[in-house]
Amino acid sequence: MTRTRVLTGITTSGTPHLGNYAGAIRPALEASRDPSVESFYFLADYHALIKVQDPARVQRSTLEIAASWLACGLDPAQVWFYRQSDIPEITELTWLLTCVAGKGLLNRAHAYKASVDRNRAESQDDDAGITAGLFMYPVLMAADILIFNADKVPVGRDQIQHIEMARDLGQRFNHLYGEHFTLPEAAIEAHVATLPGLDGRKMSKSYDNVIPLFAPREQLKKLIYSIVTDSRVPGEPKDADASNVFQLYRAFASDEHAEAMRGAFEVGIAWGDAKQALFERIDAEISPMRERYEALIAKPADIETILRDGAQRLRERYARPMLAQLREAVGLRDLSSVVVAMSNDVEKPAPAMFKQYRDADGKFYFKLVQGERVLLQSAGFDAPRDAGQCVAALKVAGRLGDAHACALGEGVTTDEVDAALALMAERVE
Ligand code: TRP
């Protein structure tokens, strides 16, 4: 069974807060328990460098985010958990994609455009203070996604355009060089909570209104008590739906408890009592994880080992073979595979090559052709990566063997195919 690949990246530029937990960490870990899903979670530390140029902060944030996900229940034996900068193939792919990325496409990226608009509003040069890193952000992100042929990428609305760009770049590459990439889809989880922050606006580091996920108990209590409310007195009915306190409560309570709290609002619960109930509810969910978090963060070397191990296995399993295939596709090839034309050869057959394509039936195929002749024709595959893997296997083997997904072309013998494959054979590290 091919599992659906779901990939999530977290920029390592801050400390996780309750909004990240309810909006991303908790739903992602729940989804990863589905056996039909293969999950990828990574710390996007290259992305962090685009906005944070304080090395200690990047390091600290990487540690805190890794420890948070582990404390919340991520099991590195069940999912892929790694750090972007431990996979050099991601940056290598970034360059391959850069070379098919239209500059005009990148000009239209929201984050870049917003910076240009700000500059214009301040009558500055369009590109004042804008790094090429910010401009290239979507290409790096596309490489994160495409390198593992992710099917789904759960993101907030602000990231949808980036997923579309990843599709776009993947499609362009496929068009030029054959079907190598799965085109990813954004998964917008409608039922996932967006939490209000202390001031009632969306909880976000940029509004400075967050409750850190693993704030010590006393600090958690203090922050919850500082949530802005209206001035209704005890006994006065309160509108639950308009209240930040209630929104937060609902994100951490069962439906039953949330309904009971709604009732308490209707009959005029005091704000102090509502906040105390909220504090107790959040603390009950967070405190076992907080203990694990504190134990983890006290042993950063163990987290380092976990991340390196994840990256190493992932590189072996997917990243290196993928890049070997892509390098071959674009022509960064082993020169010893060049068929040297010898002047005294009467007639050298044209070199054989693989062509990958998608047919009208929606399936993915490949064939091995030599000039006009079709030497091999594959059966249809549901996913382009399966076709790509079959091609890669044939190239590595250098002979047909028992590649059962292929039929010989008309009048073609196994020996001919083996000879053609032997000439193409190349080492895949
Ligand atoms: N840009 C994402 C954010 O800021 C983080 C990210 C980097 C990401 N690479 C990714 C998310 C790949 C999903 C897939 O939230």
Side-chain angles (χ1 to χ4, degrees), residues 167-179:
R167 288 177 69 87
D168 218 88
L169 297 178
Q171 205 159 28
R172 271 190 203 225
F173 192 98
N174 284 352
H175 181 71
L176 281 163
Y177 297 116
E179 294 287 334

Side-chain angles (χ1 to χ4, degrees), residues 113 174 181 213 323 330 357 362 395 407 424:
K113 258 183 24 190
N174 284 352
F181 294 125
L213 175 54
L323 259 292
V330 299
Y357 58 98
K395 285 183 183 168
M424 303 176 79

Side-chain angles (χ1 to χ4, degrees), residues 14-16 59-69 214 293 297:
T15 298
Q59 183 188 32
R60 183 75 203 167
S61 171
T62 305
L63 175 66
E64 288 178 352
I65 294 175
S68 297
W69 282 77
F214 294 122
Y293 178 80
I297 215 117

